[in-house]
Amino acid sequence: MRSSRTIFRQSLSAQLSLSILFFAVLIFVASIGYMFYQSRRSVQQEAFLHATQILNKTTLRVNTILRSVETATNNSDWLVTSDVQPDSVFACSQIVMKLNPNLNGCSIAMEPFFFPQKGKYYSAYTTYRNDSLVTINEGHEEYDYFLKEWYKRAREYDKAFWVDPYVDYNPRAVNSDEMLVSYCKPLHDKTGKIIGVMANDLSLPWLSKTISSEKPYPNSYCIMLGKGGNYFVHPDSTKLVQHTIFEEAYQQQNDGLDSLGRKMVEGKSGMQHVYINGVSCYVFYNHLPQTEWSIGLICLESDIFRGYNRLSYIVVSIIIVGLLFMLLFCYHFVKRSVAPLNHLAHVAHHIAEGNFNEELPLRKRNDEIGKLQDSFAAMQRSLAYYIHDLHQVNEETDQRNRELALATKQVEEADSRKLAFIQDITHQIRTPLNIITGFSQILSNGYNLVGEDEMKAIITAMQENSHNIVHIVNKLIMASTLEQQVDIRCTDYVDCKSICWQATKSILLRNPETVTLKVDIPKSGALTIHTHQDYLLRVLTELLNNANRYTSEGVVSIGWYRKDNDAVCFTVTDTGVGIPATESERVFDQFTKLDSFNEGLGLGLTLCRKVLTLLGGTILLDTTYVGGARFVITLPINVS
């Protein structure tokens, strides 16, 4: 008859039964874990409530400041409009500043030539200099306040609003050395006609200091965003105004920060957990109702849970010491109990390394582990028969899936680009057609009632829009023609100087008052090249059209120079908005527009590169040029 010791050795159930005694450890750990979880939630809720209260107080404080400026502006309206005289405007500006010490400055800007004896500009601006009020007429040719955002927007929309922060530089007047935010309101006479704009300024550093005056934790800080996500308040002063939260999110590849910025820009309020520069933070945000701005309070998670974490470390240390003592007590017994399982783990690892074809030896054991090992060896032999086929099927499936995914992505991208192109071309053809149709209707209703100057303007507008439609159609025809074309026969001998002048004749400057069109001719003399004149002229004209479109002031120029004995370079240069160096290749992609709101189909540069390739030449963006954009065309002088 077998002894009890033998039965115990052969029974895995008996060994596992002893292990159940240690199940109490799991209960203990689970209980402590649940306690920690609930404690953390309580600390978190209390911290969130505290931070929310601080943010609400800050929002209320800022709202109070902004409303006080609005109230001061609204209450001062009658001072100006009741008796509109040059001296009274100066006096009103000073009164507003005296009654509102928080203001940085007060401008009362009148409409052009409102006071004929004062000329076109008359704007009373009062500010502090050396603790005393100074009032001057800030308007002049070098400071055309009619074009300033604070005047133009209030005048255009005929309503009061807050202007985003700006630096008000006036070269011939008193300047503020700080960034300002302004509340601007149009002024009306008794008939309701706009006679000017009143703008009251606040110092942005002072407002930032007010916003950041109270914080719930040592490392907390506040931010304020404008309608475009620009930072108006931020501890890092280099990010103010010029940088947005979306740029920071893009640089960090941070979707959470991008989502936070969109919610704040949309005027929402709430809380979001994000990582900023790799640091876990909770951001509480509120919208400023009377503006397009939002305030955010950023609290580091490490600050919120600092006390909780310190206590947690102490408790966890005690638990770890206790478990170590329990581990030493159980180690000897557990080691003996799992010895057979170690062998089974070794067998499983052997198979996991890919040794499916190597047969495993059978174990002669009578307990449950022995039977499991024998069954595992039999299973391994069966598995070896099928594993090769399975690998092959998986490889074929993966390859087909990759091919299908690539094809799907290409189809989706093509559909998206085609749809965008169709929408773009529909808009760009419909707009000039509507203009032509409208002017045609005017002429059909009675052209003899239209004055000569107005008739010339109508004819000019119709010609320009007709030219735009023809330009678009020519691009489409050219794109269709070049789609299947594999070469262009070069049958013309073209004078470089002549074709440059010819290209400029088709350009009508959009801003002739501020933009000059010129041709740069090298001193080396004339040069004739062997190419296709019509196609080369189209390319040069397209590049000049692009330069004209994006240049509001400065120079648009075309020129050429001999690169070497076998090649000539044509250059088209402008002083416009320029193209980032990172986009120097993408601008040549079909249907690509760096700004979807600008004119164009995204075909011009693509067609230029296609034509020049067929002519044996190249085109590239000169990334070393600053101050605008410069395209360089390289063509062989003689085509073999």
Side-chain angles (χ1 to χ4, degrees):
M1 191 172 183
R2 293 183 296 172
S3 64
S4 300
R5 185 176 181 181
T6 303
I7 295 174
F8 181 78
R9 287 182 175 179
Q10 294 179 351
S11 176
L12 181 61
S13 298
Q15 299 174 31
L16 292 176
S17 296
L18 185 60
S19 300
I20 293 175
L21 295 176
F22 300 98
F23 182 74
V25 176
L26 298 179
I27 300 298
F28 175 74
V29 172
S31 300
I32 295 297
Y34 180 74
M35 181 189 70
F36 274 116
Y37 171 73
Q38 291 297 336
S39 300
R40 183 181 177 87
R41 285 191 60 186
S42 298
V43 172
Q44 185 183 60
Q45 291 173 359
E46 183 179 353
F48 287 178
L49 177 61
H50 180 52
T52 301
Q53 291 174 345
I54 295 294
L55 177 62
N56 289 338
K57 289 172 61 178
T58 302
T59 304
L60 179 61
R61 187 161 57 250
V62 175
N63 279 335
T64 302
I65 294 172
L66 298 183
R67 290 192 185 280
S68 68
V69 176
E70 294 175 6
T71 302
T73 305
N74 295 332
N75 292 343
S76 305
D77 188 344
W78 67 273
L79 287 174
V80 182
T81 58
S82 60
D83 182 20
V84 187
Q85 298 295 330
D87 293 339
S88 67
V89 171
F90 262 60
C92 289
S93 177
Q94 291 183 347
I95 291 173
V96 171
M97 288 297 295
K98 290 178 181 179
L99 296 178
N100 300 274
N102 288 337
L103 293 179
N104 185 272
C106 174
S107 295
I108 303 178
M110 309 305 293
E111 286 283 87
F113 300 104
F114 186 81
F115 299 120
Q117 69 275 22
K118 297 296 184 178
K120 179 179 179 180
Y121 304 99
Y122 193 79
S123 174
Y125 176 64
T126 302
T127 188
Y128 284 99
R129 279 296 176 268
N130 298 324
D131 297 328
S132 61
L133 288 176
V134 177
T135 305
I136 52 94
N137 179 8
E138 65 177 342
H140 49 80
E141 292 295 337
E142 297 181 41
Y143 185 79
D144 191 349
Y145 61 81
F146 305 121
L147 302 179
K148 300 298 182 180
E149 184 74 8
W150 57 268
Y151 188 95
K152 182 173 64 176
R153 188 173 172 188
R155 179 69 176 80
E156 180 178 355
Y157 294 100
D158 193 14
K159 65 178 183 179
F161 69 98
W162 281 96
V163 178
D164 288 349
Y166 63 96
V167 176
D168 193 24
Y169 176 71
N170 190 331
R172 287 163 49 187
V174 179
N175 290 294
S176 174
D177 55 0
E178 298 178 336
M179 297 194 71
L180 305 174
V181 291
S182 299
Y183 181 71
C184 307
K185 181 180 180 181
L187 302 174
H188 303 83
D189 60 13
K190 295 180 179 179
T191 64
K193 179 181 178 182
I194 295 178
I195 62 175
V197 173
M198 176 183 288
N200 287 325
D201 308 331
L202 283 177
S203 167
L204 181 62
W206 176 80
L207 185 61
S208 175
K209 184 178 180 180
T210 301
I211 292 174
S212 304
S213 61
E214 187 175 356
K215 53 186 180 180
Y217 300 102
N219 298 312
S220 300
Y221 60 92
C222 288
I223 62 173
M224 185 166 75
L225 301 184
K227 62 182 178 180
N230 300 76
Y231 287 113
F232 295 164
V233 174
H234 196 283
D236 184 356
S237 60
T238 62
K239 295 183 179 180
L240 294 181
V241 180
Q242 302 300 324
H243 296 274
T244 69
I245 192 172
F246 303 111
E247 292 176 359
E248 187 173 357
Y250 177 76
Q251 292 171 357
Q252 299 180 21
Q253 297 295 305
N254 192 334
D255 294 336
L257 191 59
D258 181 80
S259 173
L260 171 65
R262 294 186 185 280
K263 291 177 182 177
M264 293 182 68
V265 169
E266 291 170 2
K268 297 180 180 178
S269 298
M271 183 276 294
Q272 182 169 333
H273 176 247
V274 296
Y275 285 87
I276 301 177
N277 295 320
V279 178
S280 177
C281 303
Y282 289 94
V283 182
F284 305 83
Y285 52 93
N286 268 346
H287 176 63
L288 293 174
Q290 67 271 41
T291 70
E292 296 176 325
W293 310 334
S294 289
I295 294 179
L297 174 61
I298 300 176
C299 301
L300 275 63
E301 185 177 19
S302 58
D303 279 357
I304 293 176
F305 295 105
R306 179 167 296 166
Y308 169 82
N309 291 336
R310 187 182 300 113
L311 179 61
S312 299
Y313 296 150
I314 296 174
V315 175
V316 168
S317 299
I318 295 174
I319 294 175
I320 290 175
V321 172
L323 291 177
L324 287 175
F325 280 108
M326 294 179 65
L327 178 62
L328 293 175
F329 175 77
C330 299
Y331 174 75
H332 180 68
F333 175 79
V334 173
K335 181 179 179 180
R336 293 185 60 187
S337 298
V338 302
L341 292 177
N342 287 336
H343 177 74
L344 186 57
H346 175 73
V347 172
H349 180 70
H350 190 71
I351 293 177
E353 290 179 342
N355 300 303
F356 300 105
N357 297 324
E358 184 177 345
E359 294 187 2
L360 301 176
L362 298 176
R363 304 291 294 181
K364 298 186 179 296
R365 292 177 60 103
N366 295 324
D367 61 5
E368 290 86 344
I369 293 181
K371 294 177 181 178
L372 179 61
Q373 290 173 320
D374 292 341
S375 298
F376 195 88
M379 181 186 67
Q380 185 275 332
R381 289 193 296 270
S382 298
L383 183 63
Y385 293 124
Y386 302 103
I387 199 66
H388 177 72
D389 291 340
L390 181 60
H391 282 165
Q392 185 174 358
V393 170
N394 286 341
E395 291 176 358
E396 294 176 355
T397 302
D398 289 343
Q399 178 63 25
R400 291 173 183 174
N401 287 341
R402 287 192 294 270
E403 294 173 354
L404 181 61
L406 179 60
T408 302
K409 182 178 179 181
Q410 292 174 344
V411 170
E412 291 175 350
E413 290 179 351
D415 289 343
S416 175
R417 294 172 69 181
K418 287 179 181 178
L419 177 60
F421 174 73
I422 292 173
Q423 293 173 342
D424 198 12
I425 192 174
T426 301
H427 169 73
Q428 296 200 36
I429 291 180
R430 183 173 61 237
T431 300
L433 279 176
N434 288 341
I435 295 174
I436 295 173
T437 302
F439 285 144
S440 300
Q441 184 66 35
I442 293 174
L443 296 178
S444 66
N445 290 339
Y447 65 88
N448 56 339
L449 300 179
V450 181
E452 182 178 351
D453 293 339
E454 188 177 357
M455 177 67 75
K456 290 180 179 180
I458 290 175
I459 293 173
T460 300
M462 293 178 69
Q463 289 175 340
E464 289 178 355
N465 286 279
S466 298
H467 175 74
N468 290 339
I469 295 176
V470 171
H471 184 64
I472 292 172
V473 172
N474 285 339
K475 276 190 180 180
L476 295 175
I477 294 174
M478 187 175 180
S480 176
T481 303
L482 293 175
E483 184 68 27
Q484 302 298 328
Q485 195 165 347
V486 295
D487 66 342
I488 295 176
R489 297 186 62 186
C490 298
T491 57
D492 303 321
Y493 287 92
V494 179
D495 179 65
C496 295
K497 174 182 176 182
S498 175
I499 199 168
C500 287
W501 281 108
Q502 190 175 355
T504 59
K505 292 180 180 178
S506 63
I507 303 302
L508 180 62
L509 291 177
R510 290 192 171 194
N511 302 286
E513 298 85 359
T514 58
V515 178
T516 303
L517 178 63
K518 70 175 186 177
V519 177
D520 293 327
I521 302 175
K523 298 180 179 179
S524 57
L527 178 64
T528 300
I529 63 174
H530 186 207
T531 185
H532 194 291
Q533 178 172 339
D534 183 53
Y535 276 113
L536 178 56
L537 181 61
R538 291 186 190 182
V539 170
L540 296 176
T541 303
E542 178 65 24
L543 294 178
L544 284 174
N545 273 324
N546 283 349
N548 182 32
R549 184 186 308 152
Y550 295 107
T551 304
S552 59
E553 59 180 359
V555 178
V556 174
S557 64
I558 182 174
W560 63 273
Y561 62 88
R562 188 162 185 162
K563 184 177 181 181
D564 51 39
N565 292 332
D566 300 321
V568 63
C569 290
F570 290 89
T571 61
V572 176
T573 308
D574 63 64
T575 57
V577 296
I579 300 173
T582 55
E583 305 288 348
S584 60
E585 280 301 318
R586 197 170 73 88
V587 292
F588 293 102
D589 292 343
Q590 195 174 35
F591 308 138
T592 297
K593 295 170 62 178
L594 299 185
D595 186 349
S596 58
F597 295 102
N598 283 338
E599 299 177 7
L601 303 176
L603 279 177
L605 293 178
T606 304
L607 293 176
C608 289
R609 174 165 280 188
K610 175 69 174 177
V611 167
L612 291 170
T613 300
L614 295 177
L615 291 175
T618 61
I619 181 173
L620 55 83
L621 175 69
D622 185 357
T623 57
T624 63
Y625 176 74
V626 295
R630 172 181 290 158
F631 286 91
V632 180
I633 296 172
T634 303
L635 283 173
I637 295 177
N638 296 302
V639 180
S640 58

